[in-house]
mmCIF file of all heavy atoms in Angstrom:
data_model
loop_
_atom_site.group_PDB
_atom_site.id
_atom_site.type_symbol
_atom_site.label_atom_id
_atom_site.label_comp_id
_atom_site.label_asym_id
_atom_site.label_seq_id
_atom_site.Cartn_x
_atom_site.Cartn_y
_atom_site.Cartn_z
ATOM 1 N N SER W 340 -31.757 -23.095 19.504
ATOM 2 C CA SER W 340 -32.634 -21.936 19.467
ATOM 3 C C SER W 340 -32.320 -21.102 18.219
ATOM 4 O O SER W 340 -31.150 -20.861 17.920
ATOM 5 C CB SER W 340 -32.421 -21.074 20.726
ATOM 6 O OG SER W 340 -33.228 -19.925 20.696
ATOM 7 N N LEU W 360 -46.626 -19.211 11.377
ATOM 8 C CA LEU W 360 -46.017 -19.236 12.686
ATOM 9 C C LEU W 360 -46.718 -20.194 13.641
ATOM 10 O O LEU W 360 -46.084 -20.863 14.472
ATOM 11 C CB LEU W 360 -45.992 -17.826 13.267
ATOM 12 C CG LEU W 360 -45.081 -16.807 12.570
ATOM 13 C CD1 LEU W 360 -45.243 -15.433 13.173
ATOM 14 C CD2 LEU W 360 -43.612 -17.257 12.654
ATOM 15 N N GLU W 361 -48.041 -20.308 13.482
ATOM 16 C CA GLU W 361 -48.804 -21.238 14.332
ATOM 17 C C GLU W 361 -48.373 -22.690 14.021
ATOM 18 O O GLU W 361 -48.151 -23.498 14.949
ATOM 19 C CB GLU W 361 -50.286 -21.075 14.074
ATOM 20 C CG GLU W 361 -51.185 -21.955 14.972
ATOM 21 C CD GLU W 361 -52.641 -21.716 14.711
ATOM 22 O OE1 GLU W 361 -53.014 -20.720 14.079
ATOM 23 O OE2 GLU W 361 -53.462 -22.574 15.170
ATOM 24 N N VAL W 418 -49.976 2.064 -3.889
ATOM 25 C CA VAL W 418 -48.548 2.349 -3.972
ATOM 26 C C VAL W 418 -48.022 1.709 -5.244
ATOM 27 O O VAL W 418 -48.273 0.518 -5.482
ATOM 28 C CB VAL W 418 -47.759 1.805 -2.750
ATOM 29 C CG1 VAL W 418 -46.286 2.074 -2.868
ATOM 30 C CG2 VAL W 418 -48.350 2.407 -1.455
ATOM 31 N N GLN W 430 -34.803 -4.642 -1.452
ATOM 32 C CA GLN W 430 -33.808 -4.012 -0.577
ATOM 33 C C GLN W 430 -33.187 -5.079 0.337
ATOM 34 O O GLN W 430 -31.972 -5.019 0.641
ATOM 35 C CB GLN W 430 -34.458 -2.903 0.251
ATOM 36 C CG GLN W 430 -33.431 -2.093 1.071
ATOM 37 C CD GLN W 430 -34.048 -0.915 1.791
ATOM 38 O OE1 GLN W 430 -33.400 -0.338 2.670
ATOM 39 N NE2 GLN W 430 -35.251 -0.487 1.387
ATOM 40 N N PHE W 435 -28.597 -8.225 1.415
ATOM 41 C CA PHE W 435 -27.963 -9.406 2.026
ATOM 42 C C PHE W 435 -27.368 -10.311 0.938
ATOM 43 O O PHE W 435 -26.951 -11.423 1.254
ATOM 44 C CB PHE W 435 -28.975 -10.168 2.881
ATOM 45 C CG PHE W 435 -29.296 -9.483 4.180
ATOM 46 C CD1 PHE W 435 -30.558 -9.684 4.778
ATOM 47 C CD2 PHE W 435 -28.409 -8.636 4.814
ATOM 48 C CE1 PHE W 435 -30.874 -9.077 5.962
ATOM 49 C CE2 PHE W 435 -28.715 -8.006 6.006
ATOM 50 C CZ PHE W 435 -29.962 -8.216 6.588
ATOM 51 N N GLU W 472 -28.794 -9.820 -9.989
ATOM 52 C CA GLU W 472 -28.421 -8.924 -11.082
ATOM 53 C C GLU W 472 -29.345 -9.158 -12.273
ATOM 54 O O GLU W 472 -30.524 -9.073 -12.144
ATOM 55 C CB GLU W 472 -26.920 -9.129 -11.454
ATOM 56 C CG GLU W 472 -26.496 -10.551 -11.690
ATOM 57 C CD GLU W 472 -25.017 -10.686 -12.032
ATOM 58 O OE1 GLU W 472 -24.196 -10.020 -11.415
ATOM 59 O OE2 GLU W 472 -24.708 -11.438 -12.959
ATOM 60 N N HIS W 483 -35.692 13.146 -20.972
ATOM 61 C CA HIS W 483 -36.680 13.889 -21.769
ATOM 62 C C HIS W 483 -38.118 13.514 -21.424
ATOM 63 O O HIS W 483 -38.950 13.285 -22.311
ATOM 64 C CB HIS W 483 -36.431 13.670 -23.283
ATOM 65 C CG HIS W 483 -35.005 13.865 -23.710
ATOM 66 N ND1 HIS W 483 -34.313 15.046 -23.530
ATOM 67 C CD2 HIS W 483 -34.121 12.990 -24.287
ATOM 68 C CE1 HIS W 483 -33.106 14.928 -24.000
ATOM 69 N NE2 HIS W 483 -32.947 13.676 -24.445
ATOM 70 N N PRO W 487 -41.851 13.995 -26.868
ATOM 71 C CA PRO W 487 -41.937 12.908 -27.885
ATOM 72 C C PRO W 487 -40.675 12.082 -27.968
ATOM 73 O O PRO W 487 -40.715 10.906 -28.336
ATOM 74 C CB PRO W 487 -42.199 13.698 -29.178
ATOM 75 C CG PRO W 487 -42.826 14.990 -28.730
ATOM 76 C CD PRO W 487 -42.189 15.311 -27.424
ATOM 77 N N GLU W 493 -33.542 0.075 -19.665
ATOM 78 C CA GLU W 493 -33.457 -0.917 -18.571
ATOM 79 C C GLU W 493 -32.301 -1.834 -18.954
ATOM 80 O O GLU W 493 -32.422 -2.622 -19.895
ATOM 81 C CB GLU W 493 -34.778 -1.710 -18.480
ATOM 82 C CG GLU W 493 -34.968 -2.414 -17.187
ATOM 83 C CD GLU W 493 -35.387 -1.461 -16.066
ATOM 84 O OE1 GLU W 493 -36.320 -0.669 -16.269
ATOM 85 O OE2 GLU W 493 -34.756 -1.516 -14.998
ATOM 86 N N VAL W 524 -31.769 -22.272 -19.000
ATOM 87 C CA VAL W 524 -32.687 -21.527 -19.843
ATOM 88 C C VAL W 524 -32.133 -20.143 -20.144
ATOM 89 O O VAL W 524 -31.762 -19.410 -19.215
ATOM 90 C CB VAL W 524 -34.073 -21.415 -19.150
ATOM 91 C CG1 VAL W 524 -35.016 -20.564 -19.996
ATOM 92 C CG2 VAL W 524 -34.682 -22.798 -18.932
ATOM 93 N N ARG W 531 -27.634 -11.715 -27.827
ATOM 94 C CA ARG W 531 -26.389 -12.333 -28.241
ATOM 95 C C ARG W 531 -25.197 -12.029 -27.372
ATOM 96 O O ARG W 531 -24.116 -12.547 -27.639
ATOM 97 C CB ARG W 531 -26.095 -11.947 -29.688
ATOM 98 C CG ARG W 531 -25.957 -10.445 -29.892
ATOM 99 C CD ARG W 531 -25.713 -10.132 -31.359
ATOM 100 N NE ARG W 531 -25.585 -8.701 -31.563
ATOM 101 C CZ ARG W 531 -25.181 -8.167 -32.722
ATOM 102 N NH1 ARG W 531 -24.896 -8.933 -33.754
ATOM 103 N NH2 ARG W 531 -25.096 -6.851 -32.836
ATOM 104 N N ASP W 559 -38.725 -19.259 -24.482
ATOM 105 C CA ASP W 559 -40.042 -19.434 -25.084
ATOM 106 C C ASP W 559 -40.334 -20.922 -25.324
ATOM 107 O O ASP W 559 -41.435 -21.406 -25.043
ATOM 108 C CB ASP W 559 -40.209 -18.617 -26.371
ATOM 109 C CG ASP W 559 -38.981 -18.708 -27.286
ATOM 110 O OD1 ASP W 559 -37.937 -19.209 -26.847
ATOM 111 O OD2 ASP W 559 -39.102 -18.309 -28.459
ATOM 112 N N MET W 563 -43.293 -24.105 -23.493
ATOM 113 C CA MET W 563 -43.997 -25.219 -24.164
ATOM 114 C C MET W 563 -43.579 -26.561 -23.571
ATOM 115 O O MET W 563 -44.388 -27.462 -23.371
ATOM 116 C CB MET W 563 -43.739 -25.190 -25.686
ATOM 117 C CG MET W 563 -44.372 -24.012 -26.389
ATOM 118 S SD MET W 563 -44.298 -24.157 -28.199
ATOM 119 C CE MET W 563 -42.522 -23.968 -28.457
ATOM 120 N N GLN W 570 -42.484 -34.203 -17.694
ATOM 121 C CA GLN W 570 -41.651 -35.265 -17.155
ATOM 122 C C GLN W 570 -40.191 -35.093 -17.543
ATOM 123 O O GLN W 570 -39.319 -35.716 -16.928
ATOM 124 C CB GLN W 570 -42.150 -36.651 -17.620
ATOM 125 C CG GLN W 570 -43.567 -36.990 -17.164
ATOM 126 C CD GLN W 570 -44.645 -36.497 -18.149
ATOM 127 O OE1 GLN W 570 -44.404 -35.667 -19.037
ATOM 128 N NE2 GLN W 570 -45.879 -37.008 -17.987
ATOM 129 N N SER W 586 -41.394 -19.645 -13.061
ATOM 130 C CA SER W 586 -41.801 -20.206 -11.763
ATOM 131 C C SER W 586 -43.295 -19.927 -11.498
ATOM 132 O O SER W 586 -43.958 -20.771 -10.838
ATOM 133 C CB SER W 586 -40.928 -19.662 -10.628
ATOM 134 O OG SER W 586 -40.979 -18.248 -10.556
ATOM 135 N N LEU W 596 -50.932 -20.710 -7.452
ATOM 136 C CA LEU W 596 -49.878 -19.910 -6.822
ATOM 137 C C LEU W 596 -49.918 -20.019 -5.294
ATOM 138 O O LEU W 596 -48.918 -19.806 -4.606
ATOM 139 C CB LEU W 596 -50.043 -18.436 -7.234
ATOM 140 C CG LEU W 596 -49.514 -17.981 -8.577
ATOM 141 C CD1 LEU W 596 -49.837 -16.511 -8.805
ATOM 142 C CD2 LEU W 596 -48.034 -18.224 -8.714
ATOM 143 N N PRO W 600 -43.816 -22.092 -2.816
ATOM 144 C CA PRO W 600 -42.903 -21.439 -1.858
ATOM 145 C C PRO W 600 -41.659 -20.940 -2.575
ATOM 146 O O PRO W 600 -41.383 -21.249 -3.741
ATOM 147 C CB PRO W 600 -42.513 -22.619 -0.957
ATOM 148 C CG PRO W 600 -42.434 -23.778 -1.923
ATOM 149 C CD PRO W 600 -43.502 -23.508 -2.989
ATOM 150 N N ASP W 623 -57.331 -8.662 -3.469
ATOM 151 C CA ASP W 623 -58.711 -8.985 -3.800
ATOM 152 C C ASP W 623 -59.335 -9.939 -2.828
ATOM 153 O O ASP W 623 -60.592 -10.033 -2.706
ATOM 154 C CB ASP W 623 -58.792 -9.584 -5.214
ATOM 155 C CG ASP W 623 -57.896 -10.803 -5.390
ATOM 156 O OD1 ASP W 623 -56.814 -10.834 -4.795
ATOM 157 O OD2 ASP W 623 -58.310 -11.711 -6.130
ATOM 158 N N LEU W 643 -36.868 -24.300 7.755
ATOM 159 C CA LEU W 643 -36.395 -25.254 8.742
ATOM 160 C C LEU W 643 -35.234 -26.091 8.185
ATOM 161 O O LEU W 643 -34.217 -26.312 8.873
ATOM 162 C CB LEU W 643 -37.509 -26.186 9.181
ATOM 163 C CG LEU W 643 -38.625 -25.590 10.037
ATOM 164 C CD1 LEU W 643 -39.715 -26.619 10.313
ATOM 165 C CD2 LEU W 643 -38.076 -25.059 11.372
ATOM 166 N N GLU W 648 -32.739 -28.243 10.313
ATOM 167 C CA GLU W 648 -33.740 -29.079 10.970
ATOM 168 C C GLU W 648 -34.548 -29.848 9.911
ATOM 169 O O GLU W 648 -35.760 -29.735 9.802
ATOM 170 C CB GLU W 648 -34.693 -28.196 11.809
ATOM 171 C CG GLU W 648 -33.970 -27.366 12.869
ATOM 172 C CD GLU W 648 -33.370 -28.223 13.978
ATOM 173 O OE1 GLU W 648 -33.745 -29.426 14.092
ATOM 174 O OE2 GLU W 648 -32.495 -27.740 14.708
ATOM 175 N N PRO W 650 -35.350 -33.151 9.621
ATOM 176 C CA PRO W 650 -36.447 -34.025 10.066
ATOM 177 C C PRO W 650 -37.733 -33.268 10.383
ATOM 178 O O PRO W 650 -38.811 -33.722 10.069
ATOM 179 C CB PRO W 650 -35.864 -34.697 11.314
ATOM 180 C CG PRO W 650 -34.379 -34.664 11.110
ATOM 181 C CD PRO W 650 -34.114 -33.358 10.386
ATOM 182 N N LEU W 654 -41.315 -33.602 8.467
ATOM 183 C CA LEU W 654 -42.542 -33.824 9.212
ATOM 184 C C LEU W 654 -43.643 -32.831 8.814
ATOM 185 O O LEU W 654 -44.801 -33.172 8.616
ATOM 186 C CB LEU W 654 -42.256 -33.773 10.723
ATOM 187 C CG LEU W 654 -43.422 -34.055 11.672
ATOM 188 C CD1 LEU W 654 -42.904 -34.724 12.940
ATOM 189 C CD2 LEU W 654 -44.187 -32.783 12.059
ATOM 190 N N LYS W 675 -63.365 -25.647 -0.023
ATOM 191 C CA LYS W 675 -64.184 -24.658 0.687
ATOM 192 C C LYS W 675 -63.614 -24.307 2.031
ATOM 193 O O LYS W 675 -64.210 -23.554 2.818
ATOM 194 C CB LYS W 675 -65.590 -25.227 0.859
ATOM 195 C CG LYS W 675 -66.330 -25.472 -0.435
ATOM 196 C CD LYS W 675 -67.773 -25.963 -0.198
ATOM 197 C CE LYS W 675 -68.509 -26.203 -1.508
ATOM 198 N NZ LYS W 675 -69.882 -26.724 -1.274
ATOM 199 N N ALA W 676 -62.440 -24.813 2.369
ATOM 200 C CA ALA W 676 -61.848 -24.582 3.682
ATOM 201 C C ALA W 676 -61.285 -23.147 3.789
ATOM 202 O O ALA W 676 -60.720 -22.609 2.833
ATOM 203 C CB ALA W 676 -60.741 -25.586 3.946
ATOM 204 N N GLU W 687 -53.110 -30.117 13.651
ATOM 205 C CA GLU W 687 -53.532 -31.394 14.189
ATOM 206 C C GLU W 687 -52.742 -32.542 13.558
ATOM 207 O O GLU W 687 -52.365 -33.514 14.270
ATOM 208 C CB GLU W 687 -55.026 -31.570 13.908
ATOM 209 C CG GLU W 687 -55.616 -32.878 14.473
ATOM 210 C CD GLU W 687 -57.108 -33.041 14.194
ATOM 211 O OE1 GLU W 687 -57.727 -32.054 13.694
ATOM 212 O OE2 GLU W 687 -57.638 -34.107 14.509
#
Side-chain angles (χ1 to χ4, degrees):
S340 179
L360 291 176
E361 184 178 345
V418 179
Q430 188 174 164
F435 289 151
E472 51 180 43
H483 311 300
E493 198 76 51
V524 176
R531 59 182 180 171
D559 45 347
M563 292 190 291
Q570 298 89 345
S586 58
L596 280 177
D623 57 324
L643 289 176
E648 302 293 343
L654 183 147
K675 297 182 179 179
E687 182 179 354

